[in-house]
């Protein structure tokens, strides 16, 4: 199916929700003028539609393969990635000192949204690379930045993050990989890395000249648990003093995971130091690896949230096209008994409108969060705290809704949606990973009701909900005040009750913010030159969101009021028998 970039909705979200017009008035982001923003978004969309979208189906059916220790991608991927690098799409928000364009992160997310909507599996390659850039900018030494950043920023070299291990899962404190200091020889001052990592996205491939792995491991004498984790930079190929590539490091891909979806993304089991000569450099200080890695992980969580929007957009477009083309049955209640396109049937229309409301609501939430991140990066402490609060909402709600929209897309196709040849099933299979990786959505909800709710003793969340209540529609006002009251009850109650209610609470908070941001888009119409048909549709979408999605969130708040007691009325044996 042809991918049509949603450029007009992206630009609207960037201007209204991210507030790029205001950012362009600052010295740092003066280059992000409205015409530049529009040109970047439209250019990225055209590139993605022309070069990455045609590979989406091929990547799914052929997938990445491991042949003689090398990862092989389907034909066309290498050229498409080379063209991506050549066009500069990887460097949008990186600092100009390292070859980047110095534009807002919001705009970089928009570029990656285009790539991911066109080809989600492929877009994981630059997504992880962007995270590596963030980690090295914030925590890398001057020498590491000079050696690695320009090549990673350009995309000539890619990046990965190596966190979990077979025995550890989400418990990073259980990591066993080791890092032993080297005191003599050509690698003195570095470390010998040894261990195995699993679920390493794009851990091995030949699309980039070098792969820079960021690996969590333990140095000798490190404290137990997560307090004893350090972060190490481990290149696939050693880098010589003149910047050229040297010998291959002692690391290898052991196998590729056989996955439900994202088949073109090689998810690797990686082994480090089988011969005792895997060399890595410490990033930051010893035992501060988790803090360093969270810089990369938080960036990834925003971009994974964007994947929910991406897959929802692609599934929605395909469902809309099918509903317009598929003729079946007369519309009930119509005097004309001739068959009509199924888009004319009330329930199909309800489904399509729901798909659009969730997709555009997710996009509005996403870009509101990135706008706060951009302001936080400029030193706005209040915006930084707001961004921290929004990260779990974006990651969890947008990815959950991406799965829902992809599932609804199959439903619109009926039986044909369950047939692989239509392509609708791929979107659902691809979408299903997003609520799991970069911290499961349950972990995001736990983060919301513990660390993020604790920001300024609840003050950050209270201020956000007060703002929504003061500026949103009556339905949103009631929801926002309900979220605030629930949060106040959480702070006075038990941790078990808070955690048991965390998922429905996150859902309600995300709906409140997304609905408010959709209403802001509608309110901004008079000052923007929007096509009349688009503006009309946006108003209806926001109205539908308030009438149909917001009441569901009120139900989620009711769930959040029940606490943990019922969950433990059965013993573990009784529950699982």
């Amino acid at each position: 199916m042809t991918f049509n970039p949603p450029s007009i909705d992206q630009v609207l979200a960037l201007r209204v929700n991210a507030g790029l017009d205001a950012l362009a008035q600052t010295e740092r982001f003066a280059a992000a003028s409205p015409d530049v923003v529009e040109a970047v978004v439209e250019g990225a969309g055209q590139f993605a539609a022309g070069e990455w979208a045609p590979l989406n189906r091929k990547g799914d059916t052929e997938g990445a393969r491991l042949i003689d220790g090398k990862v092989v991608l389907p034909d066309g991927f290498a050229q498409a990635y080379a063209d991506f690098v050549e066009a500069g799409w990887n460097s949008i928000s990186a600092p100009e000192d390292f070859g980047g364009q110095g534009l807002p992160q919001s705009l970089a997310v928009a570029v990656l949204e285009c790539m991911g909507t066109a080809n989600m599996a492929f877009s994981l390659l630059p997504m992880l690379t962007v995270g590596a850039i963030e980690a090295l900018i914030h925590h890398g030494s001057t020498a590491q930045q000079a050696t690695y950043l320009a090549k990673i920023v350009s995309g000539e070299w890619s990046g990965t993050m190596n966190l979990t291990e077979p025995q550890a899962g989400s418990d990073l404190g259980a990591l066993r990989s080791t890092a032993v200091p080297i005191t003599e020889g050509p690698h003195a001052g570095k470390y010998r890395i040894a261990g195995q990592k699993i679920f390493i996205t794009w851990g091995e491939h030949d699309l980039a000249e070098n792969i820079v792995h960021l690996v969590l491991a333990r140095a000798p004498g490190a404290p137990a648990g997560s307090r004893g984790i350090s972060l190490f930079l481990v290149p696939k190929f050693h880098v010589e003093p003149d910047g050229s590539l040297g010998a291959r490091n002692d690391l290898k891909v052991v196998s590729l995971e056989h996955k439900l979806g994202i088949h073109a993304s090689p998810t690797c089991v990686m082994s480090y130091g089988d011969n005792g000569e895997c060399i890595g450099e410490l990033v930051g200080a010893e035992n501060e690896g988790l803090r360093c890695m969270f810089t990369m992980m938080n960036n990834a969580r925003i971009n994974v949230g964007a994947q929910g929007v991406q897959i929802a957009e692609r599934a929605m477009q395909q469902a809309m096209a099918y509903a317009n083309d598929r003729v079946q049955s007369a519309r009930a209640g119509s005097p004309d008994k001739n068959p009509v396109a199924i888009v004319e049937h009330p329930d199909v229309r309800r489904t399509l409108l729901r798909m659009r409301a969730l997709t555009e609501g997710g996009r509005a939430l996403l870009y509101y969060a990135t706008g706060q991140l951009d302001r936080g990066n400029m030193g706005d402490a209040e915006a930084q705290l707001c961004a921290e609060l929004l990260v779990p909402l974006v990651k969890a709600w947008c990815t959950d809704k991406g799965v829902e929209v992809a599932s609804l897309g199959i439903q619109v196709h009926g039986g044909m949606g369950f047939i692989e040849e239509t392509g609708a099933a791929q979107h659902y299979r691809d979408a299903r990973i997003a609520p799991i990786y970069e911290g499961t959505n349950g972990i995001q909800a736990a983060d919301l009701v513990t660390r993020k709710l604790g920001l300024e003793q609840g003050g950050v969340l209270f201020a956000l909900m007060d703002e929504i209540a003061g500026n949103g529609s009556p339905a949103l006002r009631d929801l926002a005040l309900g979220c605030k009251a629930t949060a106040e009850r959480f702070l006075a109650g038990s941790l078990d009750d808070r955690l048991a209610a965390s998922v429905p609470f996150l859902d309600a908070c995300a709906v409140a913010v997304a609905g408010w941001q959709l209403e802001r888009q509608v309110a901004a119409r008079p000052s923007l030159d929007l096509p009349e048909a688009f503006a009309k549709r946006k108003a209806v979408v926001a109205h539908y969101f308030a009438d149909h999605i917001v009441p569901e969130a009120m139900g989620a708040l009711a769930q959040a009021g029940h606490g943990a007691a019922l969950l433990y009325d059965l013993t573990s044996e009784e529950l699982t028998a």
Side-chain angles (χ1 to χ4, degrees):
M1 181 214 146
T2 302
F3 160 53
N4 297 308
S7 302
I8 186 171
D9 201 54
Q10 288 178 287
V11 171
L12 177 66
L14 286 166
R15 296 188 65 183
V16 174
N17 307 122
L20 287 199
D21 288 2
L23 286 179
Q25 302 305 310
T26 67
E27 182 179 355
R28 177 169 175 177
F29 293 129
S33 58
D35 58 329
V36 168
V37 169
E38 186 171 334
V40 168
V41 171
E42 290 183 353
Q46 291 167 7
F47 174 86
E51 297 210 34
W52 282 36
L55 297 171
N56 192 45
R57 183 67 177 160
K58 186 175 188 178
D60 182 58
T61 55
E62 296 183 21
R65 295 170 294 154
L66 185 62
I67 301 175
D68 297 330
K70 295 182 178 180
V71 171
V72 177
L73 278 299
D75 289 344
F77 275 73
Q79 186 60 55
Y81 184 70
D83 292 343
F84 171 83
V85 172
E86 177 66 25
W89 295 121
N90 200 69
S91 64
I92 296 294
S93 62
E96 294 177 84
D97 289 347
F98 303 113
Q101 299 178 46
L103 292 166
Q105 184 176 343
S106 299
L107 196 52
V109 170
V111 169
L112 201 54
E113 183 194 340
C114 295
M115 304 305 157
T117 310
N119 194 322
M120 178 177 164
F122 200 177
S123 73
L124 284 163
L125 173 56
M127 189 191 88
L128 271 296
T129 299
V130 167
I133 293 169
E134 287 291 307
L136 290 179
I137 286 173
H138 286 89
H139 306 291
S141 68
T142 301
Q144 288 167 345
Q145 292 174 351
T147 301
Y148 292 96
L149 267 179
K151 292 287 190 179
I152 303 175
V153 164
S154 72
E156 295 171 79
W157 298 354
S158 66
T160 74
M161 60 180 175
N162 287 238
L163 283 72
T164 197
E165 299 173 6
Q167 79 289 345
S170 297
D171 181 10
L172 297 182
L175 300 182
R176 297 174 185 165
S177 294
T178 60
V180 178
I182 301 172
T183 58
E184 298 178 349
H187 297 299
K190 298 181 181 180
Y191 293 72
R192 284 190 171 86
I193 311 297
Q196 187 177 93
K197 298 288 184 177
I198 61 172
F199 304 150
I200 309 308
T201 301
W202 286 89
E204 174 59 37
H205 61 92
D206 60 1
L207 272 59
E209 296 173 351
N210 201 3
I211 303 174
V212 179
H213 300 284
L214 294 179
V215 181
L216 292 180
R218 295 184 183 280
S226 60
R227 295 183 300 114
I229 295 173
S230 301
L231 180 64
F232 298 89
L233 186 158
V234 184
K236 175 180 175 180
F237 292 101
H238 293 296
V239 182
E240 301 295 341
D242 63 359
S244 63
L245 297 182
R248 181 168 179 136
N249 211 344
D250 180 17
L251 58 90
K252 66 179 182 180
V253 56
V254 176
S255 63
L256 297 185
E257 305 289 1
H258 300 280
K259 308 187 297 294
L260 177 68
I262 55 170
H263 293 153
S265 173
T267 304
C268 302
V269 176
M270 299 293 297
S271 184
Y272 295 89
D274 286 0
N275 301 309
E277 289 299 329
C278 180
I279 309 301
E281 302 178 31
L282 181 67
V283 178
E286 282 192 5
N287 305 325
E288 292 187 3
L290 207 55
R291 182 177 69 86
C292 297
M293 184 60 81
F294 264 108
T295 299
M296 187 177 190
M297 191 179 292
N298 274 329
N299 181 286
R301 285 174 174 172
I302 287 287
N303 282 318
V304 169
Q307 287 184 327
V309 177
Q310 294 160 19
I311 209 71
E313 177 68 39
R314 191 68 184 270
M316 179 188 72
Q317 287 193 18
Q318 183 158 340
M320 296 281 185
Y322 184 83
N324 273 316
D325 291 342
R326 173 64 167 159
V327 175
Q328 182 176 307
S329 304
R331 177 177 172 181
S334 171
D336 185 347
K337 298 307 178 184
N338 290 315
V340 295
I342 62 172
V343 69
E344 299 297 335
H345 297 305
D347 186 59
V348 174
R349 185 160 294 213
R350 175 197 64 82
T351 302
L352 295 173
L353 191 51
R354 181 179 184 85
M355 294 173 76
R356 187 173 289 282
L358 293 175
T359 301
E360 295 184 6
R363 183 175 289 118
L365 168 61
L366 168 67
Y367 287 107
Y368 177 60
T370 61
Q372 297 302 302
L373 279 172
D374 280 323
R375 287 162 175 79
N377 290 335
M378 294 174 64
D380 185 331
E382 184 178 337
Q384 181 61 42
L385 288 173
C386 183
E388 290 181 27
L389 175 69
L390 291 169
V391 165
L393 273 60
V394 170
K395 196 280 176 182
W397 191 77
C398 290
T399 57
D400 279 344
K401 298 313 166 187
V403 172
E404 180 181 343
V405 173
S407 179
L408 290 173
I410 292 175
Q411 197 72 18
V412 170
H413 284 74
M416 294 305 296
F418 205 67
I419 305 300
E420 286 287 354
E421 283 76 9
T422 65
Q426 180 190 346
H427 305 317
Y428 184 75
R429 289 186 289 99
D430 285 351
R432 194 58 190 84
I433 185 58
I436 298 173
Y437 55 20
E438 309 315 328
T440 67
N441 286 358
I443 290 174
Q444 303 305 311
D447 179 49
L448 174 64
V449 301
T450 54
R451 287 189 288 270
K452 302 308 170 59
L453 182 55
L455 294 172
E456 297 188 345
Q457 294 77 51
V460 176
L461 185 139
F462 297 160
L464 178 60
M465 293 303 155
D466 283 342
E467 187 171 5
I468 295 171
N471 295 283
S473 62
L476 279 176
R477 179 195 61 216
D478 292 344
L479 177 58
L481 293 176
C483 289
K484 182 179 178 181
T486 302
E488 290 172 336
R489 192 165 62 248
F490 281 172
L491 290 171
S494 75
L495 181 59
D496 271 356
D497 284 345
R498 197 186 305 180
L499 291 171
S502 60
V503 169
F505 177 69
L506 182 149
D507 184 77
C509 291
V511 168
V513 181
W516 172 45
Q517 293 303 312
L518 280 175
E519 290 183 355
R520 288 186 63 211
Q521 291 182 351
V522 174
R525 285 185 303 165
S527 62
L528 300 174
D529 184 20
L530 298 175
E532 184 176 346
F534 175 84
K536 177 182 177 181
R537 189 181 72 198
K538 180 63 69 174
V540 171
V541 167
H543 193 174
Y544 179 92
F545 196 98
D547 284 358
H548 294 266
I549 309 301
V550 170
E552 294 173 3
M554 294 296 289
L557 278 184
Q559 295 179 50
H562 290 298
L566 183 63
L567 304 183
Y568 293 91
D569 278 355
L570 297 175
T571 66
S572 298
E573 291 76 15
E574 290 170 333
L575 176 64
T576 59

